[in-house]
Amino acid sequence: MSDDLLLAPGPPAEEPVAFDVKGGVVGARRTVPIALSVCAYGLVFGVLAQQARLSLLEVFLMSGFVYAGSAQLLVLSLWSMPLPIATILLTTLIVNLRNLLLGAAVSPWLLRISPFKAYSTLFFLSDESWALTMGEFAKGRRNAAFLLGSGLVLYVAWVGSTVAGRTLGDVVHDPARFGLDFAFTAVFLSLLVGFWNGKSDLLPWVVAALVAVTAAHFLPGKWYILLGGVSGSVAGVVRHAD
Amino acid sequence: MQTSFAALLTILGMALVTYVTRISGLWLMSHVTLSTRMKTWLGYLPGTVIVALVAPTVFSTGVAEAGAALATVLVMARTRNVLLTILVGVSVVWGLRMLQANLR
């Protein structure tokens, strides 16, 4: 997450912020190449969802209503009967808290269009669309529909590819025999490479790893995910304060 | 694999929680300003949560998993190709496990 984007000045007060089809189309077009890599994650999510025993309908509903890759992937590791609903919701909240930052960063533009348009557009907010949109705004263009157009393309890519992956999953049997159980870890490791912002991440990540390994050893269930994630990020804040 | 009521409820709950995080930034910014400390914390969260998720598999399962994790990260850092990266990770873990089984 880049701090300078967060501190970007909003649009000049005297210039209007547009929200029209043209802006949406530009956003959609610009997003197509990124949609391909989203499809790759989507396919893998679908296959892993089959292993976690989610039905095709459940995959469709989850991708369609939740539409959040990292959170959905994480929840697969918690998906066992009876469903630990509270843990799943808490994990979803923690992983998605970063959306608060993304939403805050685009707010100078979204506050200038109607609340209905702004709050509808935000359903499709994702890391990728956000980054593209902030780049567009930084160039002085002011069409907030760019975010919606971009989001819609990724939405279709995500829902489509996860459903396709889930269907594909029916064909693969005994995944551990081929090392496919590791695909889950590999997906997250590849996501992590994208999250790496340089040396400032080292301490929080080391703390997160140490706490998680220790907690996984001594505590039952999946508490190590939240414990490690929260203590690592807090370590980052404490180090920043010095 | 029937869709249970509990599963539906969980998915709807996840949807609600996620949507609230998506709109809360805009809502908050029209009312208050976020402190720098809060922004820093939120910025670190996704990375540290994912590190915590994979750490036990990577560091305390075995040599095969640790080696495959290293290969995965290296391939992703160099190519940025998700499917290739996952393919390499899975192949390396499979190869190392075979190797270990045959050495025993």
Side-chain angles (χ1 to χ4, degrees), chain A residues 40-41 44 53-55 57-58 61-62 65-67 74-75 79 83 85 88-89 92-101 104 107 111 118-119 122-123 125 166 176-179 181-183 185-190 192-193 195 200-201 204-205 208-209 212-213 216 224-225 228-229 232-234 236-237 239-240, chain B residues 1-4 6-19 21-30 34 37-60 64-66 68-70 72-74 76-77 80 82-83 85-86 89-91 93-94 97:
Chain A
Y41 280 118
V44 177
R53 302 186 156 276
L54 267 84
S55 69
L57 179 66
E58 286 163 353
L61 293 176
M62 193 189 275
F65 285 135
V66 184
Y67 175 54
L74 251 155
V75 162
W79 203 270
L83 286 170
I85 299 186
I88 288 179
L89 295 188
T92 306
L93 175 70
I94 297 276
V95 180
N96 283 329
L97 263 183
R98 73 177 183 289
N99 286 330
L100 203 157
L101 265 187
S107 62
L111 284 171
Y119 284 99
L122 282 176
F123 174 80
L125 182 70
R166 173 61 185 76
R177 218 178 88 207
F178 305 104
D181 53 318
F182 190 75
T185 307
V187 171
F188 279 109
L189 288 172
S190 63
L192 267 182
V193 171
F195 278 128
S200 65
D201 279 325
W205 288 20
V213 169
Y224 65 89
I225 303 172
S233 51
V234 168
V237 174
R239 197 259 330 269
H240 249 262
Chain B
M1 267 196 250
Q2 288 272 303
T3 303
S4 67
L8 271 182
L9 203 69
T10 308
I11 290 170
L12 287 179
M14 287 174 69
L16 188 70
V17 165
T18 306
Y19 185 62
T21 64
R22 289 196 165 113
I23 60 171
S24 52
L26 178 63
W27 187 85
L28 270 176
M29 292 310 266
S30 51
L34 284 179
R37 180 176 292 205
M38 189 75 183
K39 285 185 189 168
T40 313
W41 182 63
L42 291 171
Y44 279 126
L45 259 186
T48 55
V49 170
I50 294 177
V51 168
L53 173 80
V54 295
T57 308
V58 171
F59 297 113
S60 52
E65 285 75 13
L70 185 66
T72 306
V73 170
L74 288 178
M76 184 63 187
R80 300 273 161 173
V82 181
L83 278 185
T85 302
I86 294 165
V90 167
S91 312
V93 91
W94 179 79
R97 281 175 189 168

Side-chain angles (χ1 to χ4, degrees), chain A residues 135-207:
Chain A
E136 183 76 0
F137 287 162
K139 284 182 214 143
R141 298 189 190 118
R142 286 176 301 277
N143 202 318
F146 185 98
L147 181 59
L148 180 62
S150 168
L152 280 171
V153 167
L154 292 188
Y155 181 78
V156 171
W158 178 249
V159 176
S161 60
T162 53
V163 165
R166 173 61 185 76
T167 313
L168 208 73
D170 282 332
V171 188
V172 187
H173 298 290
D174 190 10
R177 218 178 88 207
F178 305 104
L180 279 178
D181 53 318
F182 190 75
F184 183 74
T185 307
V187 171
F188 279 109
L189 288 172
S190 63
L191 276 175
L192 267 182
V193 171
F195 278 128
W196 176 257
N197 274 330
K199 259 196 233 151
S200 65
D201 279 325
L202 189 62
L203 175 80
W205 288 20
V206 168
V207 172

Side-chain angles (χ1 to χ4, degrees), chain A residues 11-158:
Chain A
E14 66 281 2
E15 312 253 9
V17 172
F19 189 92
D20 56 29
V21 175
K22 224 172 94 190
V25 171
V26 175
R29 279 219 187 116
R30 199 76 58 74
T31 310
V32 170
I34 293 172
L36 291 177
S37 76
V38 167
C39 280
Y41 280 118
L43 275 176
V44 177
F45 170 82
V47 172
L48 294 170
Q50 196 271 344
Q51 292 171 33
R53 302 186 156 276
L54 267 84
S55 69
L56 185 61
L57 179 66
E58 286 163 353
V59 167
F60 175 69
L61 293 176
M62 193 189 275
S63 293
F65 285 135
V66 184
Y67 175 54
S70 330
Q72 285 181 236
L73 275 156
L74 251 155
V75 162
L76 287 188
S77 67
L78 303 169
W79 203 270
S80 53
M81 301 300 153
L83 286 170
I85 299 186
T87 315
I88 288 179
L89 295 188
L90 188 62
T91 308
T92 306
L93 175 70
I94 297 276
V95 180
N96 283 329
L97 263 183
R98 73 177 183 289
N99 286 330
L100 203 157
L101 265 187
L102 309 188
V106 290
S107 62
W109 289 267
L110 292 191
L111 284 171
R112 302 267 297 272
I113 59 175
S114 83
F116 175 74
K117 287 172 185 162
Y119 284 99
S120 313
T121 298
L122 282 176
F123 174 80
F124 299 98
L125 182 70
S126 66
D127 297 314
E128 293 88 351
S129 293
W130 175 83
L132 284 173
T133 306
M134 291 305 285
E136 183 76 0
F137 287 162
K139 284 182 214 143
R141 298 189 190 118
R142 286 176 301 277
N143 202 318
F146 185 98
L147 181 59
L148 180 62
S150 168
L152 280 171
V153 167
L154 292 188
Y155 181 78
V156 171
W158 178 249

